[in-house]
Each structure stands twice: as structure tokens, then as C-alpha cells.
Amino acid sequence: MSFISYLVNGISLGSVYAIIALGYTMVYGIAKMLNFAHGDVIMVGGYAAFSIMMYYGGSPLMAVLVAIVVCTVLGIAIETIAYRPLLEAASPLAVLITAIGVSYFLQNVVLLIFGSTPKSFQSVVTLSNVKLFDGALTISGTTIVTIASCIIIMVVLTIFINKSKPGQAMLAVSEDKGAAQLMGINVNGTIALTFAIGSGLAAIAGVLLCSAYPSLTPYTGSMPGIKAFVAAVFGGIGSIPGAMVGGILLGVIEILAKAYISSQLSDAIVFGVLIVVLLVKPTGLFGKKIQEKV
């Protein structure tokens, strides 16, 4: 039963990575840029939820909703102020350096407001644990909610992208920004919407992550953000199904490596698996080769 328990925990952690990776893969797929400040948006979402519950006595549901609103507004602000002026004229390297700068800016602002002392995060999940096989296997309520949230988000996001007008606009912008603009699509508005959705998902991921691992610091989002980026690359960056599969596989590999090999080497094993996958399939599991037009 211990293997099944590790597997379930891995899927739960991988579901968090998958939700975060969706933000990376959507922004890259549409704006063709890597938003390395995305991990810190997760941390801001965690602090927003923490503040509502601890300082204002709000309910867990209210805390989640406020975190989503705060991160959505933050995502739009980051895109408008930091990235939009660079998208047309600046080199990809300038955008990347700006993203790193935004990341450090968010960390230091939160550090000034809340300090460096770790905060004990109260779980937003009130669902009771579920016991299976006559109590031999216990699945926490947080694990159930995390996995269910990942599945629901994936289904809703897929329907939104494929069936709605804003989703179709996102697909058009991802194919060709210039042609999309000629067809009357507001490219800047579409990119801002992408950042808003990705940042809202980051808030959900942050709250679920802090509920499972209840310690919150200004650096909480750094490593999960990097691992979620690895998950996005692993699955094929730009692919929404790839982000989900990559995230879950990454979570399972990490938990099994900690359980059966070494907790200290688990991160090295995760990145090692990524290297092997990219050597075999450079575009990731679900990535497609893009032929450059000359």
C-alpha cells in the first residue's frame, strides 16, 4: 500500500505543478515569451489568502477568491507595465532579464511587507480524509481537492480555448500575431487575457500548495515555479495537455525518488529525467516541430 500512497501523493503534487505549468505554456504559446515571475505570483496568491484568513477572519472560500482576484490583477499589471513595451522591439533576452527582475521585485516587496519569518498557512480544504482498503490507505482531503481541481481546470480551459471567441483569438494570435491583427483581433488584449488566466491559475496552485505544505515565505514560489517550467518543457511547452501530463509525471517522479532513492537527490533526478527526455525528444512529449519560414 505504501507504493499506492506515494503514487497518489505524487499525482497530487504533480497536479499543482500542472496548474502552474499551464500559465507558463499559455504565455509562451501565445506571446512567445517565458514569464519567470510566474512562480512569485504563486507566492503572492498564498500571502493574499493567508492575509484574508488570519488578519480579516475571512472564510477559506473568500480567501481563495481574493487570491485569484489579486493575482489576476497582478498578472495584467505585470504584462502591461513590464512586458508589453518590450514585446515588439526588444530582444528575447531583454524580456527574459525583465522577467527575472520582476521576480526579484515581487519577492522583495513581500519581504518588506511580511518579513522573512515563515508563516503557518491554514489549509483552505475542509474535506475529511478518505480511508480505503479497511484503513490501509488514507487519502487526505487536500489531495482529493488538488487532483479534482486540476482535472476540472484542464477540462474548462480546453473547452474555453476551443469553443469560445476569446479562446479562438488566443489560437489565432499564437499562430500569427500580424495576421490576427489584420483580422481585427486585439492582440494586446488577448495577451493580457492570457496573463490574467495564467495568474488566476497560479493563485489556485499557490493556495493548494500551501494547504499541502503549510509554510509560507517570500521564496515559496521559486522552486515550484522552476519545476512547473520543467513540467511545461517536459510535456512540450505550448501544449496544454502536455503541461498537465508533464506536471503529473514530474510530481510522481519526485515523490517516488524521495521515497525509494534519496530525498536529497530527488531534484537532481527530476532534472536528469528532463535532460534524458529532451535528448530523445527535444520538443517534449507533446511538442510539435515548427518549421521556420524563410
Side-chain angles (χ1 to χ4, degrees), residues 12 15 20 29 56 73-74 83 135 138-139 147 169 192 196 206 215-216 218 232-233 244 250-251 267 277 282:
S12 175
S15 296
I20 303 168
Y56 299 100
V73 172
L74 178 62
Y83 298 144
T138 301
I139 302 175
I147 295 171
S215 179
L216 182 60
V233 175
M244 182 178 182
L250 201 73
D267 289 347
V277 169

Side-chain angles (χ1 to χ4, degrees), residues 82-126:
Y83 298 144
R84 188 178 296 179
L86 301 174
L87 285 179
E88 294 299 327
S91 67
L93 183 60
V95 178
L96 183 62
I97 292 169
T98 301
I100 295 170
V102 171
S103 171
Y104 282 113
F105 173 77
L106 291 176
Q107 287 178 12
N108 282 279
V109 167
V110 172
L111 191 63
L112 286 171
I113 296 171
F114 293 96
S116 59
T117 307
K119 308 294 182 186
S120 181
F121 191 90
Q122 177 189 339
S123 176
V124 299
V125 179
T126 56

Side-chain angles (χ1 to χ4, degrees), residues 157-195:
L157 192 59
T158 302
I159 293 171
F160 173 79
I161 294 291
N162 293 321
K163 300 295 182 183
S164 70
K165 282 187 178 180
Q168 293 294 304
M170 288 179 180
L171 291 175
V173 172
S174 69
E175 285 291 326
D176 191 321
K177 287 182 191 175
Q181 199 160 18
L182 288 173
M183 295 300 292
I185 293 172
N186 183 346
V187 173
N188 287 336
T190 302
I191 293 173
L193 177 62
T194 305
F195 269 83

Side-chain angles (χ1 to χ4, degrees), residues 121-234:
F121 191 90
Q122 177 189 339
S123 176
V124 299
V125 179
T126 56
L127 187 68
S128 302
N129 295 349
V130 175
K131 294 187 177 182
L132 303 174
F133 307 110
D134 295 326
L137 177 64
T138 301
I139 302 175
S140 70
T142 303
T143 297
I144 295 168
V145 170
T146 301
I147 295 171
S149 299
C150 180
I151 294 169
I152 292 167
I153 286 168
M154 273 299 307
V155 171
V156 171
L157 192 59
T158 302
I159 293 171
F160 173 79
I161 294 291
N162 293 321
K163 300 295 182 183
S164 70
K165 282 187 178 180
Q168 293 294 304
M170 288 179 180
L171 291 175
V173 172
S174 69
E175 285 291 326
D176 191 321
K177 287 182 191 175
Q181 199 160 18
L182 288 173
M183 295 300 292
I185 293 172
N186 183 346
V187 173
N188 287 336
T190 302
I191 293 173
L193 177 62
T194 305
F195 269 83
I197 293 172
S199 300
L201 294 179
I204 296 171
V207 170
L208 292 172
L209 181 69
C210 292
S211 294
Y213 304 92
S215 179
L216 182 60
T217 74
Y219 311 105
T220 291
S222 298
M223 187 53 75
I226 292 171
K227 288 180 179 176
F229 173 67
V230 170
V233 175
F234 191 27

Side-chain angles (χ1 to χ4, degrees), residues 9 20 56 70 80 91 225 232 255:
N9 289 335
I20 303 168
Y56 299 100
V70 168
T80 305
S91 67
I255 294 297

